[in-house]
Amino acid sequence: MQLRYNYRVHPTPGQRRSLAQAFGCARVVFNDGLRARREARAAGLPYVKDTDLQKQVITTAKHTGERAWLADVSSVVLVQSLRDLHTAYRNFFSSVTGRRKGPKIAPPRFKSKRDNRQSVRFTANGFSLRDNGRLYVARIGDLEVRWSRPLPAAPTSVTVTRDAADRYWASFVVDTEPQIIEDLDFGGDLDSETGIDLGLTHFAVLSDGKKIDAPKFLRQAERRFKRMQKALSRCAEGSNNRAKVRRKVARQHARVADRRRDWHHRESTRLVRDNQALYVEDLAVKGLARTSLAKSVHDAGWSQFLAMLEYKTIRHGRYFGRIGRFEPTSQVCSACGIKDGPKPLSVREWACGDCGTVHDRDVNAARNILAAGRTDRLNASQSAGKTRAPVPAPRVEAGTHPDRHVPVAGIQVL
């Protein structure tokens, strides 16, 4: 499997100028290629092939007076920029035709020099690792890298990035083998599996009743942000003082994002090591981010956390499952399985009208997520094994009302 390893890079002032030139040339080539394809489409001409486009916006452009400075940077940067354009078009076409799952992908758009993030990518023939620990990049020189950990294998490509906080990073793509960790053994029961209910008051609630408090890094830094934003609003547009304050604000946002990412890594690693299978709910994060809870939703960073859980379970040989977002996890009693109806968010505890069990709203939802995830995994394993026997109706127990769901203990996984 392919993994990315990010390291901080400290270029010299001369290397910063060379990188800025490389960023600009890659951006110009990308925009020229996009403009050429848009003009061809407007004129009714066929789609411009990659080889023809490369000759037009790189090879031929270098011999013109307007684009002669493209020869001052490595050709690897320019070719990779066109490959990014090709990937953007391919993703767009796959989304339009329905071959790509998930939300619709918009067509590629022009890049701006005012973008907060600038990057260039080098393949194996455009960079090398020195014996002294420095990273050699074509037409840039030897970059000082802050090696926080060694690379597990030789990298296949590297992307040099400058973020909004004026920090430089080197992102290596490495082909690694999965690191399967030992399976958990709890005497044959299913205690090594857990359901996770994500929230805002508590970041995550597990099906065993454990609650992980939300760190709320952005909320903690709100007062500092308000003070810095006031100082930024007082600066004149385009002034040097405004640029200095803007970088301070960007560094503060980067610090909050780094703290959140580090916390996500620690918690996701702990969950993967302590559980054989993890089940979560497929949340509509984009929709929730357009509500009055937008700031808290962004501060929680659910999407980033779930992405970490997913790739870490694959890497370490665990199981990761998502249940549908329309599962009534907050409406069903996890003890008897009856559907008790919707409840407002202000209701944090409720008693089942059938069995009388008093539930914590989040713990009950986590247990229902665990039950639904086990059922989906069971049905998937039976389908993969081409089992002709009919699969029993999920979460319906014999001798009970059809609207009642099977409790957690009533489901067995093959």
Side-chain angles (χ1 to χ4, degrees), residues 218-234:
L218 182 61
R219 294 290 185 180
Q220 294 176 7
E222 259 188 331
R223 294 182 61 184
R224 190 178 300 111
F225 276 126
K226 289 180 180 179
R227 185 175 63 253
M228 299 175 70
Q229 289 290 351
K230 286 183 180 179
L232 182 63
S233 64
R234 296 190 186 103

Side-chain angles (χ1 to χ4, degrees), residues 53-104:
L53 190 64
Q54 181 174 333
K55 292 178 182 178
Q56 178 181 346
V57 301
I58 297 180
T59 308
T60 305
K62 286 182 179 180
H63 297 88
T64 63
E66 296 179 351
R67 297 287 189 265
W69 35 266
L70 290 178
D72 297 337
V73 300
S74 173
S75 60
V76 177
V77 171
L78 309 181
V79 173
Q80 293 303 312
S81 183
L82 282 186
R83 289 189 177 180
D84 290 341
L85 177 62
H86 170 68
T87 302
Y89 267 110
R90 183 177 56 191
N91 292 338
F92 168 65
F93 293 145
S94 299
S95 178
V96 170
T97 56
R99 295 193 301 270
R100 181 186 177 94
K101 296 181 180 179
K104 295 297 181 181

